[in-house]
Amino acid sequence: MANRGFFFGVVCLWVMLFSFPSQGQSLKVMSYNIHHGADAAEQMTLQEIGAFIKESGADLVGLQEVDSLCRRSGNRDQMKVLAEITGMHYAFYRHFAYDGGAYGLGILSKFPIKEQRNERITSMKNGKKESLAFLAVKLGVGKKELVFSTVHLALDQPTRLIQAEEIMRHLAGSEPVILTGDFNALPDTKEIELISERLTFMDQGLAPTFPAAEPVKKIDYIFVSPSLLKKRNSTLVRKEIHYSDHLPLEATLKL
């Protein structure tokens, strides 16, 4: 009887230990401008992009320059296709109508999306004030909720400064936060410094991400709330992946 009781106790302890999520859980995040699913030579690479994302093991992916039912990319719903290839949940929000469809931002997530937030940021076109998309989703990761977001900033700095301020307002009150995107800005610019006042700038090595073939500029970023950074984290630019005109940026967070 004593041996049976001891064995039962060991089994119960084993079940308890393996029933709780690991305190050292890793979360792999990616930011990738997919250039409407085409490489720098305009050869369609959407299937390869999907296969790469699946192989990478990414948990969360922020995507920029995504087409939805546009003629130039074969009238395909690119986020739906990527979700089918990767087996992930997805969200899409358009900047504007384009080429028979829409052009915008996308998110892939291994975690169910509890809420999608479609916000707008300022855009200047031909001297007129318009707007672009800012996409954020609320997710349940283990016992925690977090906001994962992605954005694509303007080419000119005055507009990027306005957009950076708007992004911070959109994220106000949300914690913790992960922000990904193509910011079209170098690391020492005011707009990046403004975002860095609240969110931690990953990839301190400043590895360039554009253009894909011979990268010379770092313009793609991942920012996270300091509360997510309990341990040493790592970042990686996938220099061998040329399915777009940008390189994908990965960050592994030790939660």
Side-chain angles (χ1 to χ4, degrees), residues 93 115-119 134-137 147 170-172 174:
Y93 185 36
E115 178 185 337
Q116 179 173 336
R117 293 164 48 183
N118 299 332
E119 307 285 359
F134 173 67
L135 175 60
V137 296
V147 172
H170 288 319
L171 293 176
S174 298

Side-chain angles (χ1 to χ4, degrees), residues 15 18-19 33-34 59 69-70 94 103 121 124 153 155 164 175 186 197 207 211 213 219 229 238:
V15 170
F18 287 90
S19 294
N33 180 325
I34 64 169
D59 298 296
L69 307 177
C70 296
R94 77 178 197 175
Y103 173 71
I121 58 174
M124 300 301 295
L153 298 193
L155 293 173
E175 182 65 32
L186 298 177
E197 289 175 3
I219 57 176
L229 303 180
R238 298 292 297 267

Side-chain angles (χ1 to χ4, degrees), residues 87-218:
M88 300 170 78
H89 304 277
Y90 76 97
F92 174 79
Y93 185 36
R94 77 178 197 175
H95 293 306
F96 42 74
Y98 183 80
D99 195 24
Y103 173 71
L105 302 170
I107 283 174
L108 292 169
S109 170
K110 285 187 177 178
F111 310 97
I113 295 172
K114 293 186 173 183
E115 178 185 337
Q116 179 173 336
R117 293 164 48 183
N118 299 332
E119 307 285 359
R120 307 300 296 181
I121 58 174
T122 297
S123 174
M124 300 301 295
K125 187 174 181 180
N126 299 323
K128 295 182 179 180
K129 186 176 180 180
E130 299 183 1
S131 71
L132 294 175
F134 173 67
L135 175 60
V137 296
K138 183 181 290 186
L139 306 165
V141 180
K143 294 182 179 180
K144 292 185 177 182
E145 282 192 345
L146 64 81
V147 172
F148 182 75
S149 56
T150 195
V151 72
H152 191 177
L153 298 193
L155 293 173
D156 65 291
Q157 188 178 39
T159 303
R160 289 198 303 269
L161 281 168
I162 295 170
Q163 292 173 335
E165 292 175 350
E166 292 171 337
I167 291 166
M168 291 297 95
R169 287 200 295 271
H170 288 319
L171 293 176
S174 298
E175 182 65 32
V177 166
I178 300 175
L179 171 64
T180 63
D182 175 356
F183 289 76
N184 275 315
L186 298 177
D188 60 353
T189 52
K190 290 183 179 179
E191 53 271 39
I192 298 301
E193 292 175 0
L194 189 155
I195 294 170
S196 298
E197 289 175 3
R198 177 184 165 193
L199 302 177
T200 300
F201 165 48
M202 302 293 293
D203 194 19
Q204 297 295 326
L206 305 181
T209 56
F210 181 84
E214 297 181 6
V216 294
K217 294 181 180 180
K218 176 164 187 58

